[in-house]
Amino acid sequence: MSNVIKSYLLNVVSLLCVGWFLYDFLSLNIQFSEVMTDPEPPWEITMSIGSFASLIVLLTVSFFYYRARKKTKNVSPLLFPFEFAEEDEREKMITAEACKKAFVFLLFSIPIGAILIAFYPLLPNSFSFYPIAVLLLLSLVQLTVYYVSISKIYR
């Protein structure tokens, strides 16, 4: 059970790191678009290296965490979340049940997310990160549904 919690926390931290990196990248693109509209020097474009470094550290930690949990040598770092690595029939059934619940959640949440993103033109100046925040929030809730389903089944 503690492996499920560790995996969930690692996935949430990875979503937060990806969100931080995307926020900085979006800020970089906004600065670049301002330079393109007014190309008169002097101009400056800045991006925090911390978000990129945290993403690299997180990918490294995730890879080694997954490598330590998997008993075989041929490990794909693209396997995400880590509970997809089933070793017996019971784990396959647990994963299938949790995936089914997460899929049903997506059937209802994607249209709601699309409706929320449709409101983006109303607030581009005040909250430019809005579409990315909506997508990351949907991913966070989907992960939560998946891990709550797994934890209920394990009890």
Side-chain angles (χ1 to χ4, degrees):
M1 183 62 159
S2 69
N3 282 338
V4 173
I5 294 170
K6 286 179 193 174
S7 182
Y8 175 71
L9 290 177
L10 186 60
N11 288 328
V12 169
V13 168
S14 68
L15 278 177
L16 292 174
C17 285
V18 167
W20 183 23
F21 174 75
L22 289 175
Y23 177 78
D24 282 347
F25 190 69
L26 181 65
S27 174
L28 181 81
N29 284 335
I30 290 171
Q31 293 173 35
F32 187 68
S33 72
E34 290 171 359
V35 167
M36 296 302 288
T37 57
D38 186 24
E40 295 293 321
W43 48 266
E44 181 177 304
I45 298 174
T46 59
M47 181 177 171
S48 168
I49 193 76
S51 63
F52 185 71
S54 71
L55 197 59
I56 296 299
V57 167
L58 180 77
L59 288 173
T60 306
V61 167
S62 297
F63 178 76
F64 285 113
Y65 174 76
Y66 184 69
R67 225 15 208 216
R69 290 207 46 219
K70 189 70 177 158
K71 293 176 179 46
T72 62
K73 298 291 182 201
N74 299 330
V75 175
S76 172
L78 301 176
L79 200 58
F80 188 78
F82 300 119
E83 269 60 38
F84 281 173
E86 307 110 351
E87 295 177 4
D88 61 11
E89 293 297 320
R90 182 174 184 266
E91 287 181 355
K92 287 180 183 180
M93 286 180 32
I94 290 171
T95 301
E97 184 68 28
C99 285
K100 184 172 111 177
K101 290 180 181 178
F103 179 74
V104 168
F105 164 77
L106 279 179
L107 284 177
F108 294 105
S109 66
I110 294 293
I112 292 170
I115 290 168
L116 290 173
I117 289 175
F119 288 107
Y120 177 63
L122 301 176
L123 30 116
N125 293 332
S126 60
F127 191 31
S128 60
F129 186 66
Y130 181 72
I132 295 170
V134 169
L135 290 175
L136 289 176
L137 183 65
L138 287 175
S139 297
L140 177 66
V141 175
Q142 179 195 12
L143 273 174
T144 304
V145 166
Y146 178 79
Y147 281 105
V148 166
S149 299
I150 282 183
S151 66
K152 283 183 180 178
I153 294 170
Y154 272 132
R155 285 186 202 167

